[in-house]
Amino acid sequence: MDALSSSFLFSPNQQKLFSPTITTTIPRSSPHTPFLNVFSVRIEERPQKTITKPAKSASTTLPPPPSSKPNYKRTVEPSMTTTIFNAFDAIINTFVDPPVRSSVDPRHVLSNNFAPVDELPPTECDVIEGSLPPCLDGAYIRNGPNPQYLPRGPYHLFDGDGMLHSIRISNGRAVLCSRYVKTYKYTIERQAGSPILPNVFSGFNGLTASAARGAVFAARFLAGQFNPVNGIGVANTSLAFFGGKLYALGESDLPYVVRLTPNGDIETVGRHDFDGKLFMSMTAHPKIDPHTGEAFAFRYGPIPPYLTYFRFDANGNKQPDVPIFSMVTPSFLHDFAITKKHAIFADIQIGMNPMEMLTGGSPVSSNPAKVSRIGVIPRYAKDESQMKWFDVPGFNIIHATNAWDEDDGNTIVLLAPNILSVEHALERMELVHALIEKVTIDLTTGIVSRTPISAKNLDFAVINQNHIGKQNRYIYAAVGDPMPKISGIVKLDVSKAGMGDCTVASRMFGEGCYGGEPFFVAREPENPEAEEDDGYVVSYVHDERRGESTFLVMDAKSANLETVAAVKLPCRVPYGFHGLFVRERDLKKL
């Protein structure tokens, strides 16, 4: 996830770090070797084996993946200028700001299945259980962080370069491909043979560290090593499809257009500014109305206006900005929700305050004295004159699941996981508990009521995409063990809110097995009479004991989310963030 894009931190315990079952591609120094000795270790793209399959029937529509031939890439030797700057970076990372906290120590953050992997060309997979349903005709693509180089100093999970893991499915056949999003940052660092841009989320904690890294950053710019006008984001958070284009997203930069080739490969088309109408950045969680094709989005930042709302028409044309000056302090706004009539934002207790660096703190921190608010603005607002704010003490959301209108638009219902003990959200994620709530807002009286839906630690909650912006009954949520490791999935029935725990189905992955965000794929997406839960829940799952990853397809209607198909993947897929399923008819538009 990009810098400033969520509050989920990873802080594994010390025993797991040194467990003999750890599988990691990251070389480790001796405990007695200082970080000063590590200048630029490249994670090489080693040749991958392509599994050869017998010829398929004529009904197979996917072309065969190309054979994987040895392709040894030359390691780029850094220039003298780069070497000098790397030496300064090493001094900062060793003596000024070493990674002493587990939340930014790469030996902790990148342990087990958080370790990065090489790119994988299109490679055929084995279906080891059941069969892939015919409606899974397209590609499930998931985004996540995968650092191109071994971090030389503090590293946060959100700092990694974006990598897309795509499993393309047609007529029961599956092809996996893993490729970096070829961002400007990735490209210039690949050409230079070492990191150039600092880790934004983990590298600017404290005045001395910020000043030192800022000076090197400025010197690299003056030396012509990079141009910030081209963006410094990593596009590692999520994906979105609208206006006939597929985007890889990270909220510290513009979107990157990507496409899938007929054989299942992933290509980066380039950074996209919508004909110059979008600048600076955009949320990684735009909301797409499945009925109108419109997309709704926003950006936020540390300078006024702290929030700016905007939308795109069905053809992907950006409409004018709506600056929200009534948000009076810079808040951490990762996600939001829409209804048919409104857009809903949460002004939470986590905010951005660069002045905290003067006292050695983080520019992103929690403020327990702040009262959380929910803001509601008309969906097609041209200015903020009709924006309404409602105090909701203790309501701190990172992700929004869905929202809808009731009572002819005078009442709004919002579903979202609320983070308890928000003071731990940035450093001690294992202490955080996220409770999914149903929040009802009476726009006339200002009364806000809240009802817990489940007592479990849940996040990364999804719904049937056909119900975005309108009332939904079912939620599929990831079980934190603790977050960001996901031990299972539960299905919640929102209609049971107020009658106790709303869990109606659950599926735990088993000892040593962890998954990712679930995604619901409707069996008959074009059928308006189809039941809301008639479909499948999909996710990547990794077995840490065996070091193997699978793509799991589950029956969304069954009581135990029973396995419909399991696909053994030819390589490990690291834990990541958000994904989506793109149907074949849409892939052909790219």
Side-chain angles (χ1 to χ4, degrees), residues 280 299-308 324-325 327 329-330 352 354:
M280 293 178 62
R299 66 173 173 269
Y300 70 100
I303 58 175
Y306 301 123
L307 170 63
T308 301
I324 309 297
F325 289 99
M327 178 171 279
T329 59
M352 292 177 289

Side-chain angles (χ1 to χ4, degrees), residues 134-153:
C135 71
L136 292 184
D137 183 28
Y140 172 70
I141 316 166
R142 201 219 62 207
N143 205 342
N146 197 85
Q148 180 181 189
Y149 295 100
L150 174 67
R152 299 193 299 255

